[in-house]
């Protein structure tokens, strides 16, 4: 009962310190997000909205069909899926958010309760002078000390420690003595380190780094998907080009055969064969280059998608690039979408907020260290340790209160850190403004390339159709003796160039769309792909 009465005496002091610590303030711990939103505008960052999670264990190995020639049939969707599942660099990047989330836990762990305990046993043997007998006697003393308790640091700048201590001293000359003590110690920062806003800076920065790492992963995933699609269309272009070159080579060989037959029967002079043979050689040379280009595109595509089977896998595309091109006029809407969705821009916003949070911590570091502390204790004494704890409800107690002040006279280190933090924040702001301009430029440049490819599709198609008529007319003139094999070869060469240009325009339009979606940050959403909203070890 007396123990409760003694604690009741110190209740007003405890309430005062708890009030100073912010523990009685609603939302004081943890600090409400609205308190940060007052300091930082909401448009400093945008949350990542994803429709689902992309997890490797949910992705099964894509199945590929093989034709009778042993070639693997590959569609655009399969290539994109294989890239997201099997790209080795993307697999490596997926661990970055997991690491960032681990550091977030580390920062939060600073405010976790800590249980502590100490135990010591000491033995002392010495000659001591006894005034009562005026003689020297040998004394052997043993001391056993045990301490246990719990301490915790709060975001309000409060350190609280509750402990129980037992001390027993046994002497060969004096009676045994035992002491037990229950203690409560509270230290509250009054200047530097006061308040959740300052003490939670590291935690909030770790949270922002986790979210920024997710945006970074999202951006890399989007870039990987774009690389896979672009590599696929370039492979399709190489396939179509080699098919055109082979057909043109067959036409040139057939033309040479007809000319040689006419020369044999005396319908044409011998010199007409030279131009036809040169054209065949030229077509063979172009076919070799096309085959090499196809092999180059195949290897690059396999490296990106990594579907299994190694780089020796023979591929045949099944997705056609042909589509009806349309004009895109909504430039402002797409630029606005890019400013909202681009992962690098969102990551830059989070980095800016992280730097601005750092200025809060460094500005607080300019203040002196002023701590108010209170230490309360109840002590019991007896010859045995168990009886000393029973004596805790007695009248023995101790109470200490005071303040501690420390401050560097010039405080150069704190001023330097604050100056550096301010410079970093302003640099991040300038970088964000620059990135905003760059994003709009990327969108406009991508739109320009799409529009150029769209117009080239119609122009090259018309050129190819007219060139086909020109070749047909030139062959008819050659058949009636009004043209030469050289003019026919030139007409066929122009037709070949127009066919290649038409294929390139169609593929460039497809690639231009991919780069436009990448510039506006919408490629993943358009393909139904998302990044996990929370990092975890998969």
């Amino acid at each position: 009962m007396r123990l409760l009465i003694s604690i009741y005496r110190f209740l007003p002091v405890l309430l005062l310190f708890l009030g100073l610590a912010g523990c009685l303030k609603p939302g004081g711990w943890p600090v409400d997000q609205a308190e940060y939103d007052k300091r930082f505008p909401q448009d400093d960052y945008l949350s990542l909205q994803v429709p689902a999670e992309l997890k490797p264990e949910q992705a099964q190995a894509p199945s590929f069909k093989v034709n009778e020639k042993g070639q693997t049939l590959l569609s655009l969707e399969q290539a994109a899926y294989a890239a997201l599942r099997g790209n080795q660099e993307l697999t490596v990047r997926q661990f970055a958010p997991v690491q960032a989330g681990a550091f977030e836990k580390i920062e939060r762990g600073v405010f976790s309760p800590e249980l502590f305990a100490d135990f010591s046993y000491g033995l002392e043997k010495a000659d001591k002078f006894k005034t009562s007998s005026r003689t020297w006697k040998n004394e052997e003393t043993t001391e056993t000390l045990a301490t246990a308790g719990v301490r915790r640091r709060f975001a309000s700048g409060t350190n609280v420690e509750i402990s129980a201590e037992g001390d027993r001293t046994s002497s060969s000359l004096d009676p045994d003595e035992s002491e037990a003590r229950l203690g409560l110690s509270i230290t509250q920062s009054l200047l530097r380190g006061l308040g959740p806003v300052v003490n939670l800076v590291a935690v909030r920065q770790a949270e922002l780094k986790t979210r920024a790492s997710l945006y970074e992963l999202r951006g890399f995933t989007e870039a990987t998907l774009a690389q896979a699609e672009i590599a696929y269309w370039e492979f399709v272009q190489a396939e179509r080009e080699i098919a055109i070159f082979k057909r043109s080579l067959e036409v040139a060989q057939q033309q040479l055969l007809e000319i040689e037959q006419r020369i044999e029967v005396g319908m044409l002079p011998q010199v007409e064969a030279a131009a036809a043979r040169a054209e065949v050689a030229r077509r063979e040379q172009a076919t070799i280059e096309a085959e090499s280009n196809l092999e180059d595109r195949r290897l690059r595509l396999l490296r990106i998608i990594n579907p299994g089977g190694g780089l020796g896998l023979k591929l045949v595309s099944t997705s056609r690039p042909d589509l009806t091109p349309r004009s895109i006029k909504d430039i402002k809407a797409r630029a606005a979408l890019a400013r909202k969705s681009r992962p690098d821009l969102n990551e830059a916003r989070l980095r800016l907020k992280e730097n601005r949070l750092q200025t809060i911590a460094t500005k607080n570091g300019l203040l002196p260290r002023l701590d108010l502390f209170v230490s309360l204790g109840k002590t019991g004494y007896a010859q045995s340790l168990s009886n000393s704890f029973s004596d805790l409800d007695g009248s023995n107690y101790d109470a200490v209160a005071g303040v501690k002040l420390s401050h560097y006279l010039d405080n150069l280190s704190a001023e330097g850190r604050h100056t550096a933090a301010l410079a970093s924040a302003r640099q991040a702001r300038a970088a964000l403004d620059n990135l905003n301009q760059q994003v709009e430029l990327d969108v406009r440049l991508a739109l320009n390339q799409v529009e150029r490819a769209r117009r080239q599709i119609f122009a090259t198609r018309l050129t190819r159709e007219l060139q086909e008529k020109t070749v047909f007319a030139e062959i008819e003139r050659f058949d009636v003796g009004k043209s030469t094999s050289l003019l026919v070869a030139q007409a066929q060469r122009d037709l070949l160039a127009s066919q290649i240009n038409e294929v390139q325009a169609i593929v460039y339009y497809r690639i231009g769309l991919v780069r436009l979606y990448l510039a506006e940050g919408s490629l993943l959403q358009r393909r139904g792909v998302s990044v996990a909203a929370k990092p975890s070890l998969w």
Side-chain angles (χ1 to χ4, degrees):
M1 180 61 69
R2 281 183 292 177
L3 175 62
L4 296 176
I5 295 175
S6 300
I7 294 176
Y8 179 76
R9 292 177 181 175
F10 297 107
L11 185 59
V13 179
L14 291 176
L15 294 178
L16 173 62
F17 272 85
L18 291 176
L20 291 174
C23 297
L24 299 182
K25 177 182 176 182
W29 169 253
V31 64
D32 195 283
Q33 184 64 35
E35 190 168 353
Y36 285 97
D37 293 336
K38 292 178 182 178
R39 295 173 176 259
F40 307 112
Q42 188 66 28
D43 60 357
D44 273 358
Y45 62 94
L46 296 172
S47 59
L48 178 61
Q49 301 294 333
V50 292
E53 292 187 355
L54 175 65
K55 296 185 178 180
E57 70 264 15
Q58 295 178 349
Q60 304 299 323
S63 57
F64 301 105
K65 294 182 180 180
V66 180
N67 61 16
E68 63 279 358
K69 297 181 180 179
Q71 298 170 320
T72 300
L73 305 180
L74 183 67
S75 67
L76 174 65
E77 293 75 15
Q78 288 174 322
Y81 184 73
L84 294 178
R85 182 186 182 275
N87 186 274
Q88 294 297 322
E89 191 171 357
L90 180 58
T91 302
V92 173
R93 295 292 186 104
Q94 288 178 350
F95 288 94
V98 180
Q99 294 173 329
F103 285 112
E104 184 179 336
K105 289 184 179 180
I106 292 174
E107 294 297 340
R108 290 186 178 277
V110 174
F111 302 100
S112 299
E114 178 187 2
L115 184 66
F116 65 91
D118 298 316
F119 177 80
S120 63
Y121 176 81
L123 174 63
E124 180 183 0
K125 188 176 182 180
D127 290 334
K128 292 190 177 181
F129 182 76
K130 297 295 182 181
T131 56
S132 57
S133 60
R134 304 184 64 83
T135 59
W136 288 87
K137 290 188 177 182
N138 185 272
E139 181 182 15
E140 187 174 297
T141 305
T142 60
E143 183 179 8
T144 304
L145 177 63
T147 305
V150 61
R151 63 171 69 99
R152 181 175 182 181
R153 176 188 174 191
F154 290 88
S156 56
T158 309
N159 292 300
V160 178
E161 178 178 312
I162 301 175
S163 62
E165 179 181 333
D167 185 4
R168 184 177 184 275
T169 303
S170 177
S171 173
S172 60
L173 299 181
D174 297 321
D176 292 350
E177 296 180 359
S178 296
E179 177 184 345
R181 184 179 184 276
L182 293 178
L184 171 64
S185 175
I186 302 176
T187 303
Q188 173 62 51
S189 299
L190 299 181
L191 291 177
R192 190 196 310 170
L194 174 63
V197 173
V198 172
N199 293 306
L200 286 179
V201 164
V203 176
R204 298 304 182 197
Q205 285 180 326
E207 292 175 350
L208 293 175
K209 287 179 180 178
T210 301
R211 294 175 59 190
S213 67
L214 286 172
Y215 278 121
E216 185 178 0
L217 175 60
R218 182 178 181 271
F220 188 81
T221 303
E222 202 165 33
T224 301
L225 181 59
Q227 287 178 0
E229 291 195 16
I230 291 173
Y232 183 86
W233 292 126
E234 288 178 343
F235 177 74
V236 171
Q237 176 185 343
E239 281 185 323
R240 288 201 168 190
E241 286 179 356
I242 196 172
I244 293 173
F245 280 118
K246 286 183 177 181
R247 287 198 303 268
S248 68
L249 176 60
E250 293 174 356
V251 171
Q253 291 173 341
Q254 181 64 31
Q255 186 74 18
L256 175 60
L257 180 60
E258 293 177 358
I259 291 175
E260 289 177 343
Q261 290 175 351
R262 293 185 183 185
I263 291 175
E264 289 180 1
V265 298
M267 296 178 61
L268 292 175
Q270 189 69 30
V271 295
E272 291 290 342
R277 291 192 184 98
E279 190 62 26
V280 170
R282 187 179 291 108
R283 302 289 173 87
E284 289 177 345
Q285 180 182 350
T287 302
I288 294 173
E289 291 294 329
E291 290 175 345
S292 176
N293 185 48
L294 178 63
E295 178 65 10
D296 181 84
R297 300 288 175 84
R298 183 188 69 85
L299 292 174
R300 293 180 184 275
L301 177 59
L302 285 174
R303 175 64 181 88
I304 294 174
I305 66 177
N306 192 25
L311 296 179
L313 196 66
K314 300 300 180 182
L315 299 178
V316 174
S317 64
T318 58
S319 298
R320 302 295 89 190
D322 307 273
L323 76 167
T324 302
R326 60 183 181 87
S327 179
I328 301 176
K329 301 296 184 182
D330 52 345
I331 298 179
K332 292 184 178 180
R334 291 180 181 271
L337 176 62
R339 286 190 290 270
K340 179 180 179 181
S341 302
R342 278 276 291 261
D344 54 346
L345 193 55
N346 285 318
E347 181 185 353
R349 292 189 180 104
L350 292 177
R351 300 298 184 190
L352 171 61
K353 188 172 183 181
E354 180 185 343
N355 288 328
R356 293 172 68 179
L357 280 172
Q358 185 63 28
T359 62
I360 295 179
T362 55
K363 184 178 181 180
N364 183 259
L366 297 174
L367 299 174
R369 168 67 69 180
L370 180 62
D371 296 335
L372 181 62
F373 65 90
V374 167
S375 177
L376 307 176
K378 284 288 295 179
T379 309
Y381 299 96
Q383 288 188 334
S384 66
L385 191 59
S386 59
N387 290 336
S388 65
F389 277 98
S390 300
D391 191 49
L392 284 174
D393 60 350
S395 59
N396 301 312
Y397 69 88
D398 60 89
V400 179
V403 294
K404 293 186 293 185
L405 173 66
S406 65
H407 188 60
Y408 291 101
L409 294 180
D410 52 15
N411 211 17
L412 292 179
S413 297
E415 291 178 359
R417 285 190 291 269
H418 186 55
T419 301
L422 288 175
S424 297
R426 291 173 182 173
Q427 184 183 39
R429 177 76 261 180
L432 181 60
D433 293 338
N434 178 66
L435 187 56
N436 268 302
Q437 291 183 348
Q438 184 63 44
V439 164
E440 184 172 357
L441 176 63
D442 292 344
V443 172
R444 290 181 176 271
L445 289 176
L447 276 171
N448 181 60
Q449 293 300 316
V450 170
E451 180 63 17
R452 180 188 67 83
R454 185 190 69 84
R455 296 173 63 184
Q456 286 286 5
I457 289 175
F458 296 104
T460 55
R461 182 177 301 165
L462 178 60
T463 303
R464 188 258 307 164
E465 292 173 352
L466 294 175
Q467 197 61 42
E468 287 176 348
K469 296 179 180 180
T470 300
V471 170
F472 181 76
E474 198 65 37
I475 292 176
E476 285 189 339
R477 292 179 60 193
F478 178 77
D479 290 339
V480 298
K482 294 184 177 181
S483 181
T484 64
S485 59
L486 179 59
L487 294 176
V488 172
Q490 289 177 344
Q492 291 176 339
R493 198 179 310 152
D494 293 339
L495 174 60
L496 174 63
S498 65
Q499 291 172 333
I500 296 298
N501 290 337
E502 183 182 11
V503 170
Q504 289 178 345
I506 294 173
V507 172
Y508 287 169
Y509 182 75
R510 281 283 196 176
I511 294 176
L513 288 177
V514 173
R515 287 174 174 162
L516 173 61
Y517 299 153
L518 182 64
E520 65 186 22
S522 65
L523 182 60
L524 291 183
Q525 283 79 0
R526 292 177 183 273
R527 301 299 184 255
V529 178
S530 60
V531 178
K534 293 183 179 180
S536 61
L537 277 175
W538 293 312

